[in-house]
Amino acid sequence: MSVYVGLMSGTSLDGVDAVAVSWPDDDAPAMQVCAHVHRSFEPAVRARLLALLQSQPGELEHAAAAALAVSHAYADAIDALLPQAHLQPTEVRAVGAHGQTVRHRPQAVEGGFTIQLLNGALLAERCGIDVVCDLRSRDIAAGGQGAPLVPAFHADRFGAAGQARAVLNLGGIANVTLLHADGSVGGFDTGPANVLLDAWAGEHLGVAYDDQGQWAASGRVDARLLRRLLSEPYFQRPPPKSTGRDLFHLPWLQSHLATHGRSPAAADVQATLADLTASSVAGALQRHLPDARELWVCGGGALNRHLLTRLASQLAGWKVCTTDALGLPPQQVEAAAFAWLAREFTARRAGNRPDVTGARGPRLLGCLYPA
Ligand SMILES: Nc1ncnc2c1ncn2[C@@H]1O[C@H](COP(=O)(O)OP(=O)(O)OP(=O)(O)O)[C@@H](O)[C@H]1O
Ligand SMILES: [Mg+2]
């Protein structure tokens, strides 16, 4: 049996999910999640990370300090995880650690790059396990988007021979995986999910998120505002493509609201944002996977009941379920993908899917900080 730990902290900036995953050996596909821990970021760490999303004086020092704080949060999550899984550090083959994205510019004219803050040396020092991190840069160096990386894992875990299926991760950003009936795989970021819903709920209700989408459900969709938001060129760009908080942030929404003319009620804006996610996902699936009728949803947004209802209404004839029904709870999927990527690195197998990211070929992803 080989055990890997996956650590993911995504664009929602809500904190870190840690899972311990066991496989019978390094080649077998069957896997089991032994334990899952979620740790929220301390408010000061979250504030520091949010501030780093824009260029600011002294940002190199702030970034280095934030990377240390993220590494301590990751190490604390591992400290809580291993006893739950009844594991000693020496029983874990490697940790796959994502880090916190503060820039994602795969197509910058001077050369693409992406920055996930993490101090791999500190994490290895604190947890005493091999740490595999910086998992996106190699794909970008090979001409790819460096994202999304999870379709390779989704294909491995959720693929069904002869059956077209879609997997949707509703994190800060929404990304789809297209599992074609012939075994080929596609995938891309469709656009914003929780990043705007959380920001608008925080601004108007002072809460971290709109629990189950109840506030959005109380509002009415402003069709003209929705059309305006959907006019963002990103939605029509053909894949491969990836995005993040570099594009979709509160000022992006506010600038559209400013040119909208009249101010809709705050709850109507929330309803419109939920439909923005549902429409952009449904449109992408109808265009790129027209023969599928199954959508499996994961990520924290899978707990947003209103959003799932809106998705199901836009995808008439589709079965829309969470990944629970496939044996993996939605909040564990992305972290499990990073455990899987650590396993691929350890077995010296490519972790990217060039058909998804647009890279020139399969590449070994990650950089190792030995225990
Ligand atoms: N009960 C709930 N109701 C509505 N939304 C929820 C609920 N629980 C969590 N969420 C949403 O899920 C988000 C966290 O999801 P998740 O951790 O998958 O996103 P992420 O960190 O951006 O991950 P990634 O980038 O890997 O996809 C929260 O910010 C919140 O918006
Ligand atoms: Mg998260």
Side-chain angles (χ1 to χ4, degrees):
M1 190 179 78
S2 53
V3 178
Y4 293 83
V5 165
L7 290 156
M8 178 67 198
S9 53
T11 40
S12 296
L13 278 169
D14 59 324
V16 54
D17 284 292
V19 294
V21 185
S22 72
W23 281 270
D25 58 57
D26 270 339
D27 296 309
M31 56 160 271
Q32 196 191 341
V33 174
C34 320
H36 170 219
V37 162
H38 174 82
R39 285 296 193 95
S40 297
F41 284 135
E42 306 255 338
V45 173
R46 184 170 200 269
R48 179 168 241 169
L49 291 168
L50 267 173
L52 277 163
L53 297 174
Q54 275 92 45
S55 285
Q56 51 170 295
E59 64 185 356
L60 284 178
E61 286 78 5
H62 290 306
L68 294 174
V70 167
S71 308
H72 281 301
Y74 275 32
D76 291 345
I78 295 176
D79 286 348
L81 182 77
L82 296 190
Q84 261 195 40
H86 307 291
L87 287 166
Q88 299 297 320
T90 49
E91 294 174 285
V92 179
R93 296 283 300 271
V95 170
H98 180 262
Q100 192 63 46
T101 300
V102 288
R103 297 287 185 282
H104 184 66
R105 310 243 175 97
Q107 285 169 317
V109 277
E110 67 276 21
F113 66 93
T114 186
I115 301 176
Q116 283 75 48
L117 294 182
L118 187 77
N119 188 314
L122 175 66
L123 184 56
E125 192 65 29
R126 266 205 59 187
C127 70
I129 308 170
D130 282 3
V131 170
V132 181
C133 56
D134 191 18
L135 289 137
R136 300 190 187 274
S137 293
R138 183 63 190 269
D139 185 83
I140 292 180
Q145 292 283 318
L149 293 182
V150 291
F153 170 71
H154 291 166
D156 184 79
R157 182 67 181 73
F158 301 133
Q163 206 177 329
R165 286 181 161 179
V167 183
L168 167 66
N169 171 48
L170 292 171
I173 297 296
N175 55 275
V176 289
T177 296
L178 314 173
L179 302 172
H180 296 277
D182 66 2
S184 62
V185 178
F188 52 91
D189 290 347
T190 56
N194 297 310
V195 66
L196 296 177
L197 290 166
D198 288 355
W200 193 251
E203 185 93 344
H204 290 271
L205 303 183
V207 295
Y209 57 83
D210 176 12
D211 191 18
Q212 298 186 50
Q214 293 178 56
W215 188 43
S218 76
R220 282 176 46 181
V221 175
D222 183 322
R224 201 164 58 87
L225 177 62
L226 179 59
R227 275 199 303 279
R228 183 182 290 277
L229 298 177
L230 282 168
S231 71
E232 163 63 50
Y234 181 82
F235 296 116
Q236 295 306 324
R237 243 178 67 192
K241 61 177 178 176
S242 58
T243 188
R245 282 179 179 264
D246 299 55
L247 173 59
F248 294 108
H249 40 44
L250 199 52
W252 176 85
L253 172 62
Q254 284 159 337
S255 73
H256 280 291
L257 283 170
T259 50
H260 184 53
R262 60 190 171 76
S263 307
D268 294 352
V269 174
Q270 189 76 351
T272 307
L273 289 174
D275 267 39
L276 175 65
T277 298
S279 301
S280 48
V281 168
L285 292 178
Q286 282 153 346
R287 200 171 327 144
H288 295 285
L289 199 63
D291 52 335
R293 287 294 172 268
E294 280 182 24
L295 175 62
W296 302 92
V297 187
C298 61
L303 302 177
N304 186 325
R305 208 180 311 165
H306 173 70
L307 186 49
L308 259 58
T309 304
R310 296 304 300 149
L311 264 168
S313 86
Q314 305 232 4
L315 288 165
W318 285 57
K319 173 170 136 186
V320 178
C321 293
T322 74
T323 54
D324 269 319
L326 295 174
L328 199 52
Q331 302 100 302
Q332 299 180 5
V333 175
E334 302 304 281
F338 283 84
W340 182 85
L341 283 167
R343 177 178 178 249
E344 298 309 286
F345 177 93
T346 305
R348 295 295 182 271
R349 287 191 290 256
N352 65 337
R353 299 263 339 190
D355 39 3
V356 171
T357 63
R360 283 185 288 277
R363 294 290 187 274
L364 196 58
L365 302 184
C367 149
L368 174 67
Y369 288 86

